[in-house]
Amino acid sequence: LDLLRRAALFHEPTRAFYFVRSESNRFLKNTEQMKQDLKSFEKTEATRAFDYYLPGHTAAWRGQRMKAIESYKAALRLEPDHFQSLFFLAFRQMGTNPSIAAGLFRGCLALRPDHIPSLRNFAIVLGKVGEFGEAHQQLNRAIKLGMGPESHVNVLGGLSEAYQERANHQQAVDMLTKALAIA
């Protein structure tokens, strides 16, 4: 709260500012101040991606996937190149909309070509949509950039599942065998 107080001396409070302060007051059980900050949050116009991203990311931590997705989309409407919103929008789509996630991870990699978490997750969703050749290319890029063994095992496991879903049993076993060798 002290950092927020000092920040307010240098810049007029933003929508994100009121959100962060409300969350801080929630944590400290300052209920009345939290309610005031939430009112200020609601009536302050969003002018930056973080005004939507921070509440969305908090919603995701709380298991409110759809609220998070809508917040990330709103952030991207304000700033189409807001990397964090793009990455986490893609991440939240992985399990239910892998083809959408793949397109979003492509966008992430256009902004940050060497972002290992984007490469790792992109490889997994490419496998889910049956693009195994490109999935392996992205996996190899991530490895060359220094992706650690734990992530490597995670991608191989994801690819194994994707092969299994397509009844490519031998490829699924091959991926698991490689994962076990690394682990």
Side-chain angles (χ1 to χ4, degrees):
L1 288 172
D2 185 54
L3 288 172
L4 290 167
R5 182 190 58 74
R6 287 190 275 164
L9 297 173
F10 297 98
H11 191 282
E12 185 175 329
T14 62
R15 193 169 199 261
F17 171 92
Y18 290 119
F19 177 77
V20 171
R21 196 167 71 180
S22 74
E23 287 298 305
S24 298
N25 280 307
R26 178 190 315 273
F27 177 78
L28 295 171
K29 300 190 181 353
N30 297 336
T31 307
E32 285 308 309
Q33 184 61 51
M34 178 195 72
K35 288 178 183 177
Q36 288 176 9
D37 287 334
L38 285 175
K39 285 180 186 174
S40 296
F41 166 76
E42 290 297 328
K43 70 180 182 182
T44 302
E45 182 181 353
T47 58
R48 302 287 319 266
F50 270 102
D51 291 334
Y52 289 112
Y53 168 77
L54 292 174
H57 211 52
T58 301
W61 292 338
R62 292 180 176 147
Q64 300 168 325
R65 181 179 166 275
M66 292 310 297
K67 186 175 181 179
I69 286 172
E70 290 308 312
S71 293
Y72 298 143
K73 287 178 179 179
L76 290 166
R77 282 192 292 275
L78 281 178
E79 294 177 39
D81 61 348
H82 189 256
F83 183 81
Q84 293 92 334
S85 294
L86 187 60
F87 177 81
F88 285 105
L89 177 59
F91 185 78
R92 301 286 173 230
Q93 299 283 357
M94 285 179 68
T96 55
N97 299 305
S99 60
I100 290 172
L104 294 167
F105 281 125
R106 256 186 229 289
C108 290
L109 292 168
L111 293 171
R112 295 188 186 171
D114 296 343
H115 189 247
I116 291 173
S118 292
L119 286 166
R120 179 189 67 225
N121 291 323
F122 188 35
I124 291 170
V125 295
L126 286 169
K128 288 183 178 192
V129 298
E131 299 287 335
F132 292 105
E134 190 176 356
H136 287 285
Q137 288 174 359
Q138 299 304 324
L139 172 60
N140 289 334
R141 273 187 65 210
I143 292 167
K144 286 178 185 169
L145 289 169
M147 179 175 73
E150 185 176 305
S151 291
H152 192 167
V153 168
N154 180 271
V155 174
L156 291 171
L159 291 176
S160 176
E161 286 178 28
Y163 278 123
Q164 184 65 31
E165 288 170 3
R166 287 173 175 68
N168 294 332
H169 304 298
Q170 187 55 53
Q171 291 93 337
V173 169
D174 290 348
M175 294 297 104
L176 287 178
T177 303
K178 287 180 183 179
L180 287 171
I182 294 166

